[in-house]
Amino acid sequence: MGEVNIVKLHGIGANPYSKRVEPALRIKGIPYEFIEEDLSNKSQLLLKSNPVYKKIPVLVHNEQPVVDSLIILEYIDETWKNAPQLLPDDPLERAKVRFWTSFIQQQLFEAMTRVVTCDGEIQAKAIDEVQGKMKVLEEGMKEVFPGSGSPSIDGDNLGLLDIMICSTFSPYKAYEEALGVKILDPERNPLVFCWVKALNELPLVKELYPPHDKLVALLKVVRENALRVSSST
Amino acid sequence: MEQVQLLGMWLSPYSYRVIWALQLKGIAYEYIEEDLSNKSPLLLQCNPVHKKIPVLIHSGKPICESSVILEYIEEIWPQNSLLPCDPYERAIARFWIKFADDKGPIVWKICGTRGEERQKVIEESLEMLKTIEEHGLGDKKFFGGDKISMVDIAFGGLAYWPGVIEKVLGRNLLEAHKFPRLHAWTKNFKEVPEIKENLPDFGRLLKRQT
């Protein structure tokens, strides 16, 4: 080997998109420097690395920037080919992982964002949407993990879907407390619930996520800010 | 012999993405036109989650979502590759494919809107096109260099839709002096034989919008 690999991750500690990249770097044993960005005062490096969207996370590998959390994850998998692999080898299985990753991002995550940032009828509709999509996800995951009740979680062998599920649902208790909304229900979504519980037991996940009280406080702040902005426009 | 089927719809640029990829790789396939007002049992069975086209069916297994299908095609049939080998170049390509997915569709909204809303949509579309012009294209023949790639395919709808929209609006949208690179790209893209032979009929598209 003997290659020099300087890896910097521009992100925000509690941000779920940043939280997708860090587990991948850690489980592959890739040393990196985390640079906390202030979105009200974006660094020159961030603006230069992501001129189109000016968003985090940005992975800078030997001064080359890679943007968008899901694109970063595929880049990590293709550049550091050591185990664990984030995507399976088989093209059909890879297509399934990409399909469900896209579903979680576009259908679920965005509806969940509306649950946090909206109120009244818009929030009520978003909650219905999330619950409907959770049902679809539950059915879909039964196909991806046929047979037993839930996927077996190995902290050293997490894949892309584990990372997506974790970054989206890990703080489910905080959502419940901050918003009074049940996103993940053990009776309605038994497979995903067990999966998230198992992920939350991993030392890596406990290390990466702020404690429950801090997450609740953070969600409340995000919600207050969003509601204030929308009521003043 | 492997069986490849494509469930598609002539109006959809996402459907054409898959056609172009299969054609460029020389893959034989059966094309099945879907009536989206009366979706076939096959479509509903193959894509129960979204019930949308395109769907690629390979040896009986369905693959849904055009971007997912394109990556699958590239992995199964690596000849005439549509993605670069280098992981960093691939990340750049995927960035622009995602941009096409996320931001591209604004253009299709122009014809369906009126008045102030239409003006807003036109302005957003021009912003999107400006971003591609300034950051995406450079001075190369195609997005990735001298050879056509998955990024060009992802943006392929922009090679023919603006012409239809301009006829409907009665004015220029993609002016040559403001978008010289996009103009050059459109010409290069449409000259590739597999693309030239597989474009929707302009008259038929126009009739649908008016």
Side-chain angles (χ1 to χ4, degrees), chain B:
Chain B
M1 170 80 170
E2 293 172 359
Q3 208 194 15
V4 181
Q5 293 165 301
L6 170 61
L7 305 182
M9 207 277 264
W10 71 276
L11 256 178
S12 165
Y14 301 103
S15 188
Y16 270 95
R17 286 178 173 186
V18 183
I19 290 172
W20 292 326
L22 292 169
Q23 294 281 350
L24 285 163
K25 286 180 181 278
I27 310 301
Y29 64 99
E30 180 197 358
Y31 177 77
I32 300 167
E33 177 77 21
E34 277 286 331
D35 173 2
L36 295 182
S37 63
N38 184 21
K39 293 175 182 179
S40 72
L42 183 62
L43 173 59
L44 298 175
Q45 187 196 1
C46 289
N47 192 355
V49 174
H50 300 299
K51 305 175 177 59
K52 284 183 173 177
I53 56 92
V55 177
L56 188 79
I57 308 171
H58 182 209
S59 300
K61 307 271 196 254
I63 299 105
C64 308
E65 292 214 0
S66 62
S67 304
V68 177
I69 295 171
L70 291 178
E71 295 259 9
Y72 177 83
I73 288 173
E74 178 69 6
E75 286 165 11
I76 293 282
W77 297 287
Q79 70 270 25
N80 297 346
S81 77
L82 297 173
L83 275 179
C85 291
D86 173 66
Y88 180 65
E89 301 295 327
R90 287 161 82 90
I92 295 178
R94 286 179 176 135
F95 173 86
W96 287 106
I97 293 164
K98 188 162 189 279
F99 184 91
D101 281 345
D102 292 344
K103 303 287 180 188
I106 189 79
V107 169
W108 328 135
K109 292 188 180 162
I110 295 177
C111 291
T113 48
R114 293 287 181 274
E116 225 178 272
E117 212 204 326
R118 179 181 266 189
Q119 204 39 52
K120 196 170 164 249
V121 169
I122 290 174
E123 277 164 27
E124 275 183 50
S125 300
L126 290 171
E127 270 305 307
M128 182 270 295
L129 293 167
K130 201 169 151 219
T131 302
I132 301 169
E133 177 79 20
E134 288 174 9
H135 296 279
L137 268 169
D139 292 316
K140 306 155 279 178
K141 198 172 172 193
F142 297 106
F143 277 90
D146 291 323
K147 229 180 66 152
I148 191 170
S149 77
M150 212 183 273
V151 184
D152 304 285
I153 288 173
F155 280 113
L158 290 183
Y160 60 90
W161 269 109
V164 177
I165 295 167
E166 283 169 354
K167 268 273 190 280
V168 171
L169 291 179
R171 57 164 261 207
N172 271 337
L173 187 73
L174 209 59
E175 291 165 288
H177 67 279
K178 285 188 183 162
F179 298 97
R181 289 170 172 164
L182 264 169
H183 262 264
W185 172 80
T186 300
K187 188 167 166 285
N188 293 330
F189 182 76
K190 292 206 281 195
E191 276 173 2
V192 175
E194 291 86 351
I195 307 296
K196 195 172 179 179
E197 290 153 19
N198 292 284
L199 284 169
D201 180 69
F202 185 85
R204 200 178 169 198
L205 282 172
L206 187 61
K207 206 172 166 192
R208 253 319 255 267
Q209 300 307 313
T210 46

Side-chain angles (χ1 to χ4, degrees), chain A:
Chain A
M1 276 269 277
E3 280 177 9
V4 174
N5 271 307
I6 299 178
V7 180
K8 300 185 187 189
L9 176 64
H10 291 254
I12 292 170
N15 178 283
Y17 295 97
S18 291
K19 285 281 172 279
R20 289 172 187 173
V21 181
E22 287 194 90
L25 292 169
R26 291 200 191 193
I27 57 177
K28 280 200 181 256
I30 301 165
Y32 66 99
E33 182 192 349
F34 186 86
I35 297 166
E36 183 84 20
E37 283 283 340
D38 174 0
L39 292 184
S40 62
N41 185 21
K42 293 174 184 176
S43 71
Q44 278 309 304
L45 210 98
L46 175 63
L47 296 174
K48 196 174 140 206
S49 303
N50 192 355
V52 174
Y53 291 114
K54 305 177 179 53
K55 283 182 174 176
I56 56 96
V58 178
L59 187 83
V60 184
H61 178 208
N62 292 340
E63 300 190 14
Q64 287 187 322
V66 182
V67 309
D68 189 279
S69 59
L70 299 180
I71 294 175
I72 292 171
L73 290 172
E74 293 226 27
Y75 173 81
I76 288 172
D77 214 27
E78 289 175 355
T79 306
W80 288 275
K81 294 194 199 286
N82 58 303
Q85 273 182 285
L86 300 178
L87 279 164
D89 273 324
D90 175 68
L92 190 63
E93 296 306 310
R94 288 164 79 88
K96 284 182 191 169
V97 169
R98 287 184 175 126
F99 176 87
W100 286 107
T101 298
S102 167
F103 180 87
I104 294 169
Q105 173 59 37
Q106 286 171 2
Q107 306 289 325
L108 263 167
F109 198 81
E110 294 187 4
M112 280 168 65
T113 304
R114 271 179 276 133
V115 172
V116 174
T117 59
C118 302
D119 59 3
E121 217 182 286
I122 301 180
Q123 192 200 38
K125 264 182 97 180
I127 292 169
D128 272 341
E129 209 184 307
V130 167
Q131 286 174 353
K133 302 279 158 90
M134 283 304 297
K135 209 172 155 205
V136 176
L137 180 67
E138 183 78 17
E139 287 309 307
M141 292 302 97
K142 281 184 192 158
E143 264 195 61
V144 173
F145 302 106
S148 61
S150 63
S152 59
I153 303 300
D154 173 357
D156 296 324
N157 272 304
L158 296 179
L160 182 53
L161 269 180
D162 295 300
I163 290 176
M164 278 304 283
I165 291 284
C166 191
S167 70
T168 310
F169 299 112
S170 179
Y172 73 95
K173 281 193 185 157
Y175 278 107
E176 253 178 65
E177 196 178 313
L179 305 169
V181 172
K182 223 172 185 173
I183 297 222
L184 200 55
D185 187 305
E187 277 176 34
R188 282 197 306 255
N189 326 112
L191 187 151
V192 178
F193 185 81
C194 286
W195 192 353
V196 175
K197 264 198 90 180
L199 286 167
N200 280 350
E201 290 302 308
L202 297 174
L204 168 67
V205 176
K206 286 184 182 172
E207 220 181 282
L208 280 176
Y209 279 84
H212 173 79
D213 291 340
K214 205 170 169 204
L215 272 172
V216 172
L218 211 65
L219 272 170
K220 284 184 174 169
V221 165
V222 168
R223 181 170 172 75
E224 270 164 33
N225 286 341
L227 289 176
R228 197 180 327 126
V229 167
S230 64
S231 69
S232 65
T233 46

